[in-house]
Amino acid sequence: MEAAAGGQRALLRQVLGWRVAATITWSVLLLPICTAAFVVFSGLDPFHPVRWISNSFNDLYTSYVIFCIFLMSVVIIVISIFNVEFYAVVPSIPCSRLALIGKIIHPQQVIHSFVHAIMGMLVAWCATVMTKGRFQFLAVSCTPSERLYPKGVDMYHDGSPYRQSHHFPVQPTFAQETDQCLPKILNSNPPLLIKFLALQDLMLLSQYSPVRRQEVFSLSQPGGHPHNWTAISRECLSLLSDLTQRLIAQQEAAAANGRAKPPVGEMKVPPQTPGAVGIEDMSFQSQRSNIVLRASMSPLVKPSLMPVKTSPGSDVGSPFSSPALSYKMGIVDVKSPWHGSVQSPLVVRRGPKLWTSISDKKLLVQTSADNVFLQQGKGGPVFETQHPEASIQAVFSDAQMHIWALEGLSHLVAASFTEDQFGVVQTTLPAILNTLLTLQEVVDRHFKLPHVSSKPPRISGSLVDTSYKTLRFALRASLKTALYRITTVFGEHLNAVQVSTEHKKRLQQFLEYKE
Amino acid sequence: MCSLGLFPPPPPPGDVTLYELNNALVCGRLSEQLPLAFQSQLTSEDMIAAFSQAVDWAGCTVRAFAWHPHTNKFAVALLDDSIRVYNSSSATVPSLKHRLQRNVASMAWKPLCASILAVACQSCVLVWHLDPTSLSTRPSSGCAQVLSYPGHSPVTSLAWAPGGERLLSASPVDTAMLVWDVSTETCVQLQWFGGGGVTFLAWSPDGSKVLAATPSAVFRVTEVTLSHRQGDKGDAVPQTGCWSPDGSRLLFTVLGESVIYSLSFSEYRGEMQGQVGGSKTASIVADLSETTFETLYGEERIGGEVHSMVWDPTGERLAVIIRGHPESPSTPPAIAVFRTRNSPVFELLPCGFVRGERGARPQLISFHPCFPQGALLTVCWSSGRISHIPFFFVSALEPRASPRRSPVPVLGSVREQPLFSEL
């Protein structure tokens, strides 16, 4: 465990290190050029060009310009350090006005904005010094553009080294690489940046690299187990089923919002555990009591606290506090390898609720004081009402991971039709098809909710990367393409795969190109 | 090198080409029926049962044509700026109209999808999302996404990536190709300098390369890999081009010359290459200069520049529209069909000429993407007729890994013919 965490930190340092170094180096190298250009153009004098040019060049060699260059390089390095410390791969989207305010007054953000303000003052002072006091303000071309409200500077910088993909080996050739190989990376819980890069690499290798695909489909020596494929498929499927659960939870919350709040008497949730409403679709398995509840997929049935009452003999607190909640889909073996790795979306983070974005989408009914903010209701103060578009975007904020997982998985399955020599993919086909079809059903239902299918207005000319706003459309399209890719390659052979009858009907629709 | 003189003589005027059987094109009058042995195999598909029929167009001229890549469905763009979608398994014919849909130049169905159609219009690219099970004959304009970019009009060529993720659009006015992500409606410009706009796009079926032809004497083949390299090939104005099914060979023709060139590419092995792999020079594989045929019905002159060229998805038949001379009526435009093979060595052999009704000039040709019994060539004639000509053969390659292909029993013996290979 320690070694794994240490190995991941080393990998993160390796991955992040050269990017940070490249960024800082480029910024510092470009600084004198930008400064020179600034000095030249700030002394623009079209009527006396020769004097202008000679004055500018003289100014460039004065001591205060050199001092300003030095000061601004220090500024760049400080800002880069801040970027490295506070980067976020996934945008955190505040969903209510209160959350937005909370985000701004968060101490981390305060320090961040304070330091940026000081840096800005320094740069402005340098600029005025360099122009000999003729101008009041300055636009610096080489420091990163500031935002209107401070948030964690994210990785969405256009043409910079942050966007380049990283190549992860599938089969480690050296002993020290074992921690860095793709299946291991995916299965452990790496920092988000590494996970994104690993999934992007999976997506690329599944399409363009037959050699690496062979490594994925290979068996281990001497046991003959398909470790690589098992690890990769398990992780992709758990990601997708996690998204399915999140979407179902949000649909439940939306369904409950339209109904009257249940009277307090019906709530039998003990005050110390955070209860969750509307989970009657989830069948949860407590590891201690081994009680399995099967439920049908009808999430828009009137939500109630039935599951709490109908779990006989099991402690009410245990299903919620233990992470062993799994979503059973179709015919999946209880002991299947990925049942333990599914994270529960219902475990609510304790602590200040002002700046959790994903978890505060669910309808929490609690009696403790600090949760009054999160109840959705018509009569509440203006801070509590959720901004619908923001809450929709929040659910899909990390959907890029799922899109890459979908593409990687479907390309590998399609390639396995001709390239899989040992048949390692065939045994996982039922689970893959079940997961994909269930997710597609849930996504389609999600798009029927209000506001979800409307495209956010596009602001042209903005430098900020707003691709996260339309991720849900990209996810829906790539999900359908992934299913069609598998059905087109396998064709009628898919009828031999064991799936539930309603999934069989939907697969038939796909085979006839009627979806 | 193959030339027109090696072709069998063209069929007599008034005869219509019906089908091909084992490398011989059979002609006849419209009233003739197929031999019974074939009819029992073909009744399952309506449009083959009506292979010599016209669809009732009543004077409309067909502007663009596109087969769906996986089903028996095709879209036709008409002179009145509407698009009709014909499906062999459904009697309804949806008619697509939109206020921005004017001067449709090209259409393309999205691969790996039920029914999404991209249309290249005067001012934008329209992407229609049709419901495949709907019975409505007038889908609303709300089903269409409008993808527009300033300066990118008129759009004349479209190409979907074979995996369906990206859509390329090209305009002769814009020096940049646009790569669209349709679901998020965003695009990336692929700029290059020189060459003017882009007139023709063709994506290789394996998804590895894109041919882009420009009005000036430069065309580019871009290898679509991890890092989008470009290669310049050639110093001639390309007219049209088509890829072999495995993406290893490109056949193209050049404005002003009546020959077919061939360019081969090495297979992409997943390694970083310095430049687009392949041969540096193109070789001539066919000479289509004017040839005179002495037939019983008089002298016929066929030959000239190539207007468009299509290769069927099995890589066995190549159809070419030879423009002829529009001024002289004795060299009408003709369709010549070649037999081709790409492995182990490239071969181009003559098959025959395709004839339509008297006076009808071919406008558009296209092969059906997944005809199980050989190849199906669809021809749109100037009279408004659309005819489907099947080519029955057993593919020389090993069968593709597609469970829908069923082998056709070979009737009759293969005639002995002298083979002309690449010289």
Side-chain angles (χ1 to χ4, degrees):
Chain A
M1 204 51 151
E2 286 293 316
Q8 280 178 10
R9 273 199 299 274
L11 179 61
L12 184 64
R13 248 193 319 245
Q14 175 198 346
V15 163
L16 201 52
W18 73 266
R19 287 160 210 256
V20 172
T23 312
I24 295 184
T25 315
W26 272 110
S27 311
V28 173
L29 282 178
L30 288 175
L31 180 60
I33 303 174
C34 298
T35 319
F38 172 72
V39 170
V40 167
F41 283 108
S42 63
L44 184 67
D45 194 358
F47 298 113
H48 305 98
V50 178
R51 191 174 72 185
W52 162 47
I53 304 264
S54 58
N55 274 354
S56 306
F57 275 111
N58 284 339
D59 286 341
L60 280 177
Y61 289 105
T62 52
S63 58
Y64 56 84
V65 169
I66 308 239
F67 172 70
C68 290
I69 291 181
F70 172 70
L71 194 59
M72 285 201 283
S73 357
V74 169
V75 165
I76 286 178
I77 293 178
V78 169
I79 289 188
S80 306
I81 293 175
F82 264 81
N83 284 357
V84 171
E85 290 305 310
F86 295 125
Y87 75 87
V89 187
V90 169
S92 63
I93 305 170
C95 288
S96 62
R97 287 195 192 88
L98 191 64
L100 182 60
I101 292 176
K103 205 165 172 190
I104 296 176
I105 62 176
H106 191 279
Q108 211 180 53
Q109 312 283 1
V110 169
I111 297 176
H112 197 90
S113 44
F114 183 65
V115 170
H116 270 82
I118 296 198
M119 298 293 135
M121 281 184 340
L122 277 177
V123 170
W125 176 78
C126 291
T128 51
V129 160
M130 283 196 288
T131 60
K132 307 191 207 76
R134 265 177 294 168
F135 294 100
Q136 301 292 322
F137 43 82
L138 159 75
V140 175
S141 54
C142 47
T143 54
S145 56
E146 309 297 331
R147 308 262 160 76
L148 278 179
Y149 47 89
K151 60 185 212 183
V153 179
D154 57 22
M155 303 296 283
Y156 291 75
H157 291 109
D158 300 333
S160 74
Y162 288 106
R163 282 265 176 167
Q164 294 211 13
S165 59
H166 190 269
H167 178 104
F168 292 87
V170 177
Q171 200 83 293
T173 37
F174 302 108
Q176 60 263 32
E177 266 185 9
T178 6
D179 280 341
Q180 290 190 16
C181 67
L182 193 59
K184 239 205 177 88
I185 293 270
L186 286 176
N187 265 353
S188 55
N189 212 1
L192 211 52
L193 171 64
I194 304 281
K195 192 154 194 180
F196 264 71
L197 289 172
L199 285 168
Q200 185 188 34
D201 193 40
L202 176 72
M203 184 264 295
L204 291 171
L205 82 82
S206 66
Q207 292 183 48
Y208 298 115
S209 182
V211 170
R212 294 172 77 200
R213 285 201 294 265
Q214 273 308 313
E215 289 178 4
V216 173
F217 296 141
S218 62
L219 299 177
S220 69
Q221 299 290 345
H225 300 293
H227 286 310
N228 293 338
W229 171 251
T230 313
I232 289 177
S233 62
R234 181 197 323 172
E235 180 52 32
C236 293
L237 290 180
S238 78
L239 263 177
L240 297 173
S241 55
D242 177 52
L243 178 65
T244 312
Q245 292 176 55
R246 259 195 274 156
L247 290 177
I248 289 180
Q250 198 183 36
Q251 284 169 18
E252 286 304 297
N257 200 18
R259 287 157 170 81
K261 284 203 280 274
V264 185
E266 276 183 21
M267 291 183 279
K268 298 220 176 18
V269 182
Q272 72 273 13
T273 57
V277 180
I279 51 163
E280 82 254 275
D281 287 342
M282 313 271 195
S283 63
F284 39 88
Q285 174 179 358
S286 162
Q287 270 172 341
R288 280 178 293 169
S289 52
N290 266 335
I291 292 172
V292 171
L293 297 176
R294 278 283 217 102
S296 61
M297 278 278 299
S298 51
L300 292 185
V301 171
K302 183 175 171 185
S304 63
L305 296 175
M306 290 305 294
V308 180
K309 296 184 203 151
T310 58
S311 58
S314 67
D315 190 9
V316 170
S318 68
F320 298 125
S321 51
S322 76
L325 270 175
S326 67
Y327 183 69
K328 245 181 146 211
M329 286 171 284
I331 313 161
V332 168
D333 189 13
V334 163
K335 299 279 185 279
S336 72
W338 48 273
H339 112 99
S341 63
V342 171
Q343 287 154 350
S344 161
L346 303 173
V347 174
V348 175
R349 259 180 283 160
R350 298 205 173 234
K353 298 266 187 318
L354 293 178
W355 39 77
T356 56
S357 49
I358 293 181
S359 54
D360 58 8
K361 290 311 127 309
K362 302 163 204 35
L363 177 66
L364 294 177
V365 181
Q366 287 199 2
T367 53
S368 52
D370 56 30
N371 288 323
V372 170
F373 297 138
L374 296 166
Q375 276 184 10
Q376 302 178 17
K378 297 234 158 88
V382 70
F383 286 135
E384 298 161 11
T385 51
Q386 303 263 344
H387 188 248
E389 173 68 24
S391 57
I392 293 166
Q393 286 171 16
V395 173
F396 290 100
S397 56
D398 61 348
Q400 184 62 61
M401 273 202 305
H402 302 92
I403 293 174
W404 282 335
L406 277 171
E407 290 185 6
L409 198 62
S410 66
H411 273 108
L412 282 172
V413 170
S416 78
F417 193 80
T418 46
E419 295 179 10
D420 183 12
Q421 295 170 323
F422 305 110
V424 305
V425 175
Q426 282 181 26
T427 47
T428 51
L429 265 182
I432 293 175
L433 288 174
N434 277 326
T435 313
L436 290 181
L437 286 168
T438 312
L439 178 61
Q440 202 234 345
E441 203 177 324
V442 171
V443 166
D444 279 346
R445 214 171 17 228
H446 203 81
F447 266 79
K448 296 202 171 80
L449 292 178
H451 302 291
V452 183
S453 52
S454 52
K455 292 225 157 67
R458 222 177 331 168
I459 312 161
S460 57
S462 146
L463 290 173
V464 178
D465 183 19
T466 53
S467 61
Y468 64 88
K469 290 190 180 165
T470 47
L471 271 177
R472 57 186 187 271
F473 303 103
L475 176 77
R476 179 173 61 160
S478 79
L479 179 55
K480 207 166 227 175
T481 306
L483 275 162
Y484 268 116
R485 189 172 290 129
I486 298 178
T487 56
T488 306
V489 166
F490 280 79
E492 298 297 325
H493 294 309
L494 274 184
N495 290 329
V497 177
Q498 296 289 334
V499 288
S500 66
T501 35
E502 60 176 77
H503 282 167
K504 242 195 200 350
K505 278 195 226 129
R506 306 225 8 253
L507 273 180
Q508 192 57 35
Q509 296 279 86
F510 273 96
L511 285 170
E512 295 171 5
Y513 293 92
K514 289 215 170 96
E515 270 293 317
Chain B
M1 171 171 56
C2 194
S3 69
L4 279 182
L6 301 167
F7 270 73
D15 267 10
V16 171
T17 308
L18 296 177
Y19 56 91
E20 178 217 322
L21 175 60
N22 286 327
N23 307 323
L25 283 173
V26 174
C27 296
R29 303 278 154 176
L30 283 173
S31 55
E32 268 183 21
Q33 296 292 313
L34 264 188
L36 276 172
F38 287 108
Q39 277 181 344
S40 55
Q41 289 174 37
L42 302 173
T43 46
S44 58
E45 290 166 337
D46 291 343
M47 48 90 185
I48 301 182
F51 56 83
S52 65
Q53 273 350 66
V55 188
D56 186 5
W57 293 107
C60 288
T61 306
V62 175
R63 285 187 151 169
F65 184 89
W67 272 111
H68 190 275
H70 307 292
T71 56
N72 292 329
K73 184 156 68 171
F74 62 83
V76 188
L78 307 175
L79 187 62
D80 63 350
D81 292 331
S82 72
I83 293 177
R84 302 221 189 149
V85 177
Y86 286 83
N87 196 339
S88 71
S89 57
S90 145
T92 50
V93 177
S95 171
L96 312 175
K97 287 194 204 253
H98 195 280
R99 60 180 175 85
L100 293 176
Q101 188 174 284
R102 278 177 284 113
N103 297 334
V104 174
S106 166
M107 294 188 294
W109 292 95
K110 179 174 169 178
L112 296 183
C113 201
S115 75
I116 295 184
L117 178 69
V119 180
C121 308
Q122 167 74 34
S123 55
C124 60
V125 176
L126 279 182
V127 181
W128 285 93
H129 293 255
L130 304 171
D131 183 1
T133 52
S134 142
L135 296 171
S136 122
T137 51
R138 263 308 280 280
S140 77
S141 317
C143 305
Q145 262 180 299
V146 179
L147 305 176
S148 68
Y149 194 81
H152 197 78
S153 80
V155 186
T156 52
S157 187
L158 289 176
W160 283 99
E165 318 94 25
R166 283 175 282 267
L167 173 67
L168 280 182
S169 75
S171 167
V173 179
D174 197 355
T175 51
M177 257 175 11
L178 293 183
V179 183
W180 290 97
D181 181 0
V182 176
S183 54
T184 52
E185 294 185 9
T186 51
C187 68
V188 172
Q189 280 187 308
L190 278 187
Q191 279 273 8
W192 53 63
F193 302 101
V198 178
T199 52
F200 179 75
L201 285 175
W203 208 307
S204 71
D206 64 339
S208 61
K209 291 175 273 286
V210 178
L211 164 75
T214 64
S216 72
V218 169
F219 67 93
R220 280 187 163 79
V221 176
T222 304
E223 202 155 322
V224 178
T225 63
L226 299 176
S227 50
H228 298 273
R229 257 174 311 283
Q230 285 189 4
D232 289 1
K233 296 278 186 195
D235 53 358
V237 182
Q239 176 72 24
T240 180
C242 52
W243 290 95
S244 68
D246 57 359
S248 66
R249 190 169 288 269
L250 172 71
L251 294 179
F252 63 96
T253 64
V254 151
L255 199 64
E257 299 186 33
S258 50
V259 290
I260 299 181
Y261 290 96
S262 150
L263 198 57
S264 68
F265 294 88
S266 56
E267 243 181 69
Y268 179 67
R269 276 177 239 280
E271 308 297 325
M272 294 294 197
Q273 292 176 2
Q275 51 194 340
V276 176
S279 56
K280 296 284 185 210
T281 52
S283 51
I284 298 180
V285 291
D287 173 20
L288 302 174
S289 45
E290 225 174 73
T291 316
T292 310
F293 289 92
E294 300 284 347
T295 66
L296 298 171
Y297 308 91
E299 198 182 75
E300 278 224 47
R301 298 220 307 268
I302 298 184
E305 284 180 32
V306 171
H307 177 78
S308 67
M309 192 160 60
V310 287
W311 208 339
D312 92 300
T314 59
E316 299 255 339
R317 294 288 182 273
L318 180 77
V320 168
I321 295 186
I322 305 175
R323 210 182 278 143
H325 288 287
E327 301 84 40
S328 64
S330 55
T331 48
I335 302 180
V337 181
F338 296 84
R339 276 183 298 134
T340 62
R341 192 195 308 186
N342 207 19
S343 69
V345 71
F346 178 69
E347 264 181 5
L348 191 73
L349 306 168
C351 184
F353 294 104
V354 171
R355 171 88 77 194
E357 292 174 320
R358 200 189 289 266
R361 294 181 313 282
Q363 279 224 326
L364 293 160
I365 46 175
S366 174
F367 273 107
H368 191 293
C370 51
F371 186 66
Q373 288 134 329
L376 184 78
L377 177 68
T378 303
V379 186
C380 304
W381 300 97
S382 61
S383 58
R385 239 165 229 264
I386 296 185
S387 51
H388 308 282
I389 300 156
F391 292 74
F392 298 112
F393 55 88
V394 177
S395 175
L397 305 169
E398 55 183 311
R400 280 185 308 179
S402 166
R404 276 184 226 114
R405 284 181 77 84
S406 53
V408 159
V410 175
L411 296 177
S413 59
V414 178
R415 264 184 314 166
E416 286 298 313
Q417 265 190 339
L419 292 175
F420 305 95
S421 49
E422 195 176 22
L423 291 173

